[in-house]
Amino acid sequence: MKVKAKFPSSTGNTFYTEVRRRVNNDFKKNNRSINADFGMWIKACFFLLLFLALYLTILLFSVHIAVLLVIIAMLGTVCAFIGFNICHDAIHGSFSSSKRINTFFSFLFNMVGANPYVWNITHNVVHHTYTNIPGHDEDIEVATGLIRICTEDELKPHQRFQQWYAFPLYSLASLSWVFRKDYKKFFQKSVGACQNKHPNIEYFNLFFYKFLYYFIFIVLPVLIMPFSWWQIAIGFVVLHLAQGLTMGLVFQLAHVVEGTTFPKTNADGNMEEAWAEHQMRTTANFATQSPISAFFLGGLNRQIEHHLFPKICHVHYGRISGIVKQTAHEFGLPYHENTTCLSALRSHYRILKKMGRVA
């Protein structure tokens, strides 16, 4: 059994103590809630209404096949945006101070093909604690055997081309999630070093909501739309290629770019640095000055702030980012960021190219 990585205890005037104090003071001084503001609620309504409009258009209206495929791809992208903006915050408990509201919006994760309970384990518990630690953070195990992103992985001959085939593979991320990943993570003995012990109700939830999703996105279109089953299957794949590419690229640009590290534990399972310092070395921001990225990516382009303050709604990350950056510099810690999405993509490409070759 894997031993959980252990971070040294923080004592005295540490980076995390100071940055938390400054951020908390900022919210108190400005009399602001750490949860969703009015703009966040408007954004949530916008994405949910857009999802409904696109889905009903696909299901009920007759349009040219080329236009239909474009609308289907748009729906897949909107599904990713719902996950980024609404479900992600809700599962972290940062959307609202009300547990009921967070639970309701967490439930919507099922409607984009993913299980919120499994996501909580793999993302909130494991990834946020053991970020980029090989053997612990399973989020960095992307297409095992095909994509190599850290030196601990065995180098295989075909990986010298991974900078070319990785991006098409990312498009399959959503399909894998719907049909494979959630089941695999749920039934394996552990995620990283965390043992899996599930309440009985979660077995029911996993299968019930998966089959509900299959009914809404596969069975119902077959019953209603004037197409054969194989044409519906093509549409379903197009939806998930768009959703998967959007998800895959955004997730990779936060942790697998130049500058971020993949620290290992020592023989006793201990990490050299405290948890917050570890987050600063393994996480990166991108396109932080882009209002479009801020609106559509749900704060995932400000991963540094998100990893330090996952209980704060993402609409506040832009305001507190200056505090985090200044405090990091004062404590001699890196603050990784790429100015645009394109520069982050280029950086990720260079990492893939480097990891596909012998050092």
Side-chain angles (χ1 to χ4, degrees):
M1 187 179 76
K2 293 179 182 177
V3 178
K4 289 184 181 180
K6 298 181 287 292
F7 293 94
S9 300
S10 298
T11 56
N13 184 29
T14 64
F15 162 71
Y16 197 40
T17 301
E18 182 60 19
V19 75
R20 287 178 65 187
R21 184 189 68 79
R22 293 181 184 183
V23 168
N24 289 338
N25 286 344
D26 179 79
F27 278 97
K28 290 178 182 178
K29 179 182 177 182
N30 293 285
N31 195 27
R32 288 177 177 266
S33 166
I34 64 172
N35 303 121
D37 58 13
F38 181 72
M40 176 63 190
W41 280 96
I42 294 295
K43 181 160 73 163
C45 291
F46 167 77
F47 282 121
L48 293 177
L49 289 174
L50 185 57
F51 169 89
L52 208 58
L54 292 171
Y55 177 77
L56 293 177
T57 298
I58 293 167
L59 202 64
L60 302 176
F61 292 89
S62 177
V63 297
H64 190 276
I65 189 68
V67 176
L68 182 62
L69 288 174
V70 171
I71 296 173
I72 289 171
M74 288 174 61
L75 179 61
T77 306
V78 169
C79 286
F81 292 152
I82 288 173
F84 295 162
N85 287 274
I86 303 172
C87 305
H88 183 228
D89 277 30
I91 298 172
H92 273 293
S94 63
F95 191 103
S96 172
S97 59
S98 166
K99 187 176 180 179
R100 289 184 178 181
I101 292 175
N102 287 326
T103 300
F104 171 75
F105 283 124
S106 298
F107 161 82
L108 295 179
F109 216 39
N110 292 295
M111 295 300 98
V112 298
N115 182 275
Y117 172 76
V118 174
W119 171 263
N120 180 64
I121 296 171
T122 60
H123 181 76
N124 293 13
V125 177
V126 177
H127 170 67
H128 269 259
T129 305
Y130 308 108
T131 311
N132 277 22
I133 302 177
H136 292 74
D137 182 6
E138 293 192 6
D139 274 12
I140 63 175
E141 297 174 9
V142 182
T144 305
L146 292 174
I147 297 178
R148 180 177 186 257
I149 59 176
C150 63
T151 55
E152 279 62 42
D153 295 337
E154 178 187 356
L155 178 63
K156 299 182 179 181
H158 58 266
Q159 290 168 337
R160 65 175 299 184
F161 305 108
Q162 67 176 8
Q163 70 271 21
W164 300 112
Y165 65 71
F167 296 97
L169 273 182
Y170 294 157
S171 298
L172 303 177
S174 184
L175 277 171
S176 174
W177 215 330
V178 168
F179 291 115
R180 174 185 173 272
K181 182 179 177 180
D182 279 338
Y183 299 114
K184 178 181 181 295
K185 299 295 183 184
F186 189 90
F187 286 104
Q188 65 190 36
K189 291 183 179 180
S190 63
V191 177
C194 295
Q195 298 299 302
N196 272 340
K197 293 182 180 179
H198 312 303
N200 290 335
I201 187 62
E202 295 303 337
Y203 288 86
F204 170 81
N205 288 341
L206 176 66
F207 288 102
F208 177 79
Y209 289 114
K210 282 290 184 183
F211 284 111
L212 179 61
Y213 179 83
Y214 301 150
F215 177 80
I216 292 172
F217 284 90
I218 300 175
V219 177
L220 203 57
V222 169
L223 295 176
I224 293 178
M225 298 178 72
F227 298 107
S228 59
W229 68 266
W230 62 267
Q231 291 172 313
I232 299 296
I234 290 174
F236 185 80
V237 169
V238 168
L239 181 146
H240 278 284
L241 290 178
Q243 183 174 335
L245 183 61
T246 306
M247 289 166 36
L249 289 179
V250 171
F251 291 155
Q252 294 302 317
L253 301 188
H255 298 288
V256 189
V257 290
E258 293 163 309
T260 58
T261 60
F262 296 83
K264 296 182 292 184
T265 60
N266 62 22
D268 298 318
N270 297 317
M271 300 299 297
E272 292 184 2
E273 290 190 299
W275 174 83
E277 284 79 354
H278 172 84
Q279 297 301 320
M280 298 304 295
R281 299 192 189 280
T282 57
T283 309
N285 289 350
F286 62 93
T288 54
Q289 301 305 311
S290 168
I292 295 175
S293 297
F295 182 83
F296 285 102
L297 301 186
L300 296 183
N301 62 319
R302 293 189 180 274
Q303 281 281 316
I304 294 173
E305 287 71 28
H306 172 60
H307 270 250
L308 293 177
F309 300 99
K311 294 295 184 182
I312 294 178
C313 183
H314 74 265
V315 292
H316 304 296
Y317 291 160
R319 201 182 75 257
I320 69 173
S321 62
I323 299 173
V324 175
K325 188 173 185 177
Q326 176 63 32
T327 310
H329 289 167
E330 290 177 12
F331 279 79
L333 293 170
Y335 187 91
H336 302 299
E337 55 184 336
N338 286 288
T339 54
T340 64
C341 289
L342 184 58
S343 63
L345 281 170
R346 287 171 176 165
S347 182
H348 180 61
Y349 170 88
R350 289 191 290 267
I351 286 289
L352 290 173
K353 187 175 182 179
K354 177 182 177 181
M355 287 294 108
R357 287 162 170 73
V358 177

